[in-house]
Amino acid sequence: MLRVLALVSGGGTNLQAIIDAVAAEKIQNAELVGVISNNKTVKSLERAKNAGIPAFSVSPKDFENRELFYEAFLDKVNECRPDLIVLAGFLVAIPPKMVAQYSGRIINIHPSLIPSFCGVGYFGLKVHEKALERGVKVTGATVHFVTEGMDEGPIIAQKAVYIEDNDTPEILQRRVMEQAEWILLPQAIDDIANDRIEIRDGKVIRK
Ligand code: GAR
């Protein structure tokens, strides 16, 4: 059984998609062993608790500086002994020490077709605002391995979503979640848990 730890920051709809996929056995050979949030009062922690998954919060507000926060966060991650860390709407940069320790074992879902609308400053609703501002006709979501560079790791899967004329960032965000994110992220976890993919020369290939 692959021990999966989810890191979250907000609403947790991607976390819910993982919880539901495990329950429906769409994800096999994996269990959610914990959820950690950088916020104390988010809906995602409630979702974890409702599903009987240990839920923790480690907030930067409780620490004097970023270093100390990162240290405490990594301690909590290590306590969960994860095989795979899933950034399921986690909007904090991952400290390099954690990326190094869990190299090839952290994945992220991003709400655009990388390399568009990604990198520093592109997270959550902002990504959709920028896509609408630019007037692109197609956007989507990407699930990828996490490396030190923000949103630069090997791409596992992508799914395109069409933009419609009257879209607002909120409407588009919801469509990208429904049509892409909630499908891609559970699939990627299932692929990893069942050893179907590997990284070769910086790219993800199917075995
Ligand atoms: C999701 O759209 C996710 O792709 C995005 O934040 C949202 C979280 O929603 N993540 C990023 O922007 C990462 N750069 P959720 O809490 O309902 O899953």
Side-chain angles (χ1 to χ4, degrees):
M1 276 289 196
L2 190 84
R3 295 174 60 83
V4 178
L5 170 67
L7 306 187
V8 296
S9 295
T13 64
N14 277 287
L15 170 66
Q16 192 65 53
I18 300 169
I19 292 171
D20 294 347
V22 170
E25 296 181 15
K26 286 183 185 160
I27 297 177
Q28 296 195 339
N29 299 315
E31 58 175 334
L32 265 166
V33 295
V35 174
I36 309 176
S37 170
N38 60 306
N39 287 320
K40 281 182 195 163
T41 54
V42 292
K43 179 110 183 26
S44 2
L45 291 176
E46 215 178 292
R47 293 181 193 271
K49 283 179 194 152
N50 289 342
I53 301 160
F56 313 95
S57 69
V58 182
S59 163
K61 290 181 187 144
D62 293 334
F63 298 90
E64 258 173 47
N65 57 47
R66 206 73 185 165
E67 290 286 286
L68 291 173
F69 161 65
Y70 276 153
E71 225 170 84
F73 199 90
L74 185 54
D75 282 349
K76 187 51 85 183
V77 166
N78 289 336
E79 259 175 46
C80 295
R81 295 183 293 108
D83 299 314
L84 178 69
I85 298 171
V86 178
L87 311 186
F90 188 61
L91 307 182
V92 173
I94 299 292
K97 194 174 162 193
M98 183 168 144
V99 176
Q101 187 184 335
Y102 289 96
S103 170
R105 292 189 289 150
I106 309 178
I107 64 171
N108 178 46
I109 181 84
H110 184 77
S112 76
L113 294 174
I114 288 175
S116 288
F117 309 112
C118 65
V120 179
Y122 286 86
F123 57 87
L125 209 54
K126 213 155 229 128
V127 178
H128 305 293
E129 282 168 11
K130 294 284 180 193
L132 290 177
E133 244 172 67
R134 183 63 187 86
V136 293
K137 304 300 180 202
V138 181
T139 184
T142 303
V143 54
H144 64 92
F145 283 103
V146 172
T147 53
E148 255 201 51
M150 175 91 71
D151 298 330
E152 288 176 2
I155 291 172
I156 300 168
Q158 294 186 297
K159 197 162 183 290
V161 173
Y162 285 105
I163 288 177
E164 293 174 13
D165 284 346
N166 294 321
D167 276 349
T168 62
E170 290 79 8
I171 290 172
L172 182 58
Q173 179 181 51
R174 182 76 191 182
R175 189 179 316 113
V176 169
M177 284 173 162
E178 280 174 1
Q179 294 185 6
E181 296 185 43
W182 301 341
I183 301 163
L184 287 182
L185 191 55
Q187 264 174 5
I189 296 169
D190 187 54
D191 282 341
I192 292 167
N194 294 287
D195 207 19
R196 288 189 207 105
I197 57 171
E198 67 182 3
I199 304 173
R200 205 183 289 167
D201 298 331
K203 295 191 183 106
V204 174
I205 56 158
R206 298 219 149 238
K207 288 185 177 174

